[in-house]
Amino acid sequence: MRAGERASRLAAGSEGVASGAPDPQSGEDAVVEPWPRGISRRASMRISDVLAALRIEFPAVTNSKLRFLEEQGLVEPVRTPAGYRQYSPADIERLRYVLRQQRDRYVPLKVIGEQLAALDAGEDDEPAPRAQLATRDGVVQGPAVAARYTGDALAREAGVDVALVDELVRSGVLRPSVSGHFDPWARDVVVLAAALGEHGVDARHLRVFRAAADRQADLVEQIVAPWRGQNAASSRARAGTLAAEVGELCTQLHTALLRSAVSGLTS
């Protein structure tokens, strides 16, 4: 039985029933409340309410992303007679779990679905609660909006001289936009380039990393192209999810291969 079907058999807003407890009416075991347990399942929140709640931690979440996760069976909102989706607080917790697994661990959706099924069945321990977001004067503070840096701001943020940023641009390692700005990942590139520079690795030597990353990005693009070519918003959301998963797998493979290659130098 799917999680949504089990949930629909629980009283709205109830805390569920204990696993294995006998049902006095039917003589059968009571339905096991799906995870998360002890959280209201009264579906009264519109999709706009869900986005407002999730965007504190996930600023990039969209309507199409939520619809895509629903298509994958990871969350099952109630449909009103008019066809509108309504979510419960328990649905939001499931969505948070899915989005965190994707963002923090790049776990494929199929695996996340298996994890949720195990949690629903009580086969896995419940995830440890995460630290709460910092507050100021009692108001929850969301994460900073993803920055786009100027060259000077990027140098300040990375704690390097702006000359290094300029050198990385000239070498083709960093690529500013048409407006001259850099994406948030550029900070990591500069910090790592500065660390390698302390070992005598200058910007010229880093071109090989740029070329390898471009080739891997081309491979990822080929994989997600069928989804990106579709007009449906859910298809574009699937393309973004798949690109992140495959990109992380490429990163892990590169790391494993490099570690293997240099292992003889560390023994």
Side-chain angles (χ1 to χ4, degrees):
M1 182 183 298
R2 298 176 66 186
E5 294 171 342
R6 289 195 300 270
S8 65
R9 293 176 60 184
L10 296 168
S14 71
E15 295 184 357
V17 292
S19 175
D23 186 338
Q25 300 297 323
S26 65
E28 300 177 353
D29 285 349
V31 177
V32 177
E33 183 186 13
W35 184 87
R37 288 174 261 283
I39 296 180
S40 173
R41 300 188 180 278
R42 188 179 299 279
S44 60
M45 304 175 71
R46 299 169 300 177
I47 197 166
S48 58
D49 301 321
V50 176
L51 290 172
L54 292 176
R55 279 176 177 160
I56 295 174
E57 186 176 355
F58 307 98
V61 69
T62 61
N63 291 7
S64 61
K65 178 71 172 183
L66 296 185
R67 288 195 293 270
F68 172 62
L69 295 178
E70 179 185 351
E71 290 174 3
Q72 301 306 303
L74 298 174
V75 65
E76 297 181 18
V78 172
R79 291 298 187 105
T80 68
Y84 294 107
R85 296 172 176 84
Q86 288 191 318
Y87 297 78
S88 69
D91 290 328
I92 292 181
E93 288 308 306
R94 288 180 78 91
L95 286 167
R96 284 199 178 103
Y97 178 86
V98 173
L99 294 171
R100 285 169 182 159
Q101 291 294 86
Q102 284 193 295
R103 181 195 63 192
D104 300 341
R105 301 181 61 190
Y106 296 93
V107 179
L109 289 180
K110 180 180 179 181
V111 176
I112 296 175
E114 293 170 352
Q115 293 172 346
L116 285 171
L119 287 168
D120 288 340
E123 297 170 359
D124 274 359
D125 294 333
E126 298 205 7
R130 291 171 56 93
Q132 297 296 311
L133 294 174
T135 61
R136 179 181 302 165
D137 295 332
V139 178
V140 175
Q141 300 298 301
V145 176
R148 293 190 64 82
Y149 302 105
T150 63
D152 289 340
L154 178 57
R156 287 195 303 271
E157 186 70 17
V160 302
D161 193 287
V162 71
L164 175 58
V165 175
D166 293 339
E167 184 181 3
L168 290 170
V169 172
R170 286 194 300 272
S171 299
V173 178
L174 282 179
R175 294 171 183 165
S177 66
V178 175
S179 64
H181 290 78
F182 300 89
D183 63 44
W185 291 105
R187 179 189 178 279
D188 293 346
V189 173
V190 175
V191 169
L192 293 169
L196 285 170
E198 296 178 0
H199 298 281
V201 181
D202 61 30
R204 295 177 297 120
H205 302 127
L206 301 182
R207 292 172 182 165
V208 64
F209 292 93
R210 176 83 256 182
D214 288 342
R215 288 195 296 270
Q216 291 168 6
D218 288 341
L219 175 62
V220 175
E221 185 175 10
Q222 292 175 31
I223 294 172
V224 304
W227 300 105
R228 293 187 67 194
Q230 299 181 29
N231 292 326
S234 60
S235 296
R236 293 193 296 272
R238 184 185 184 96
T241 296
L242 185 59
E245 291 177 5
V246 176
E248 179 62 16
L249 289 172
C250 289
T251 300
Q252 293 175 5
L253 177 59
H254 174 82
T255 300
L257 290 171
L258 185 57
R259 284 174 175 168
S260 175
V262 302
S263 61
L265 304 175
T266 60
S267 58

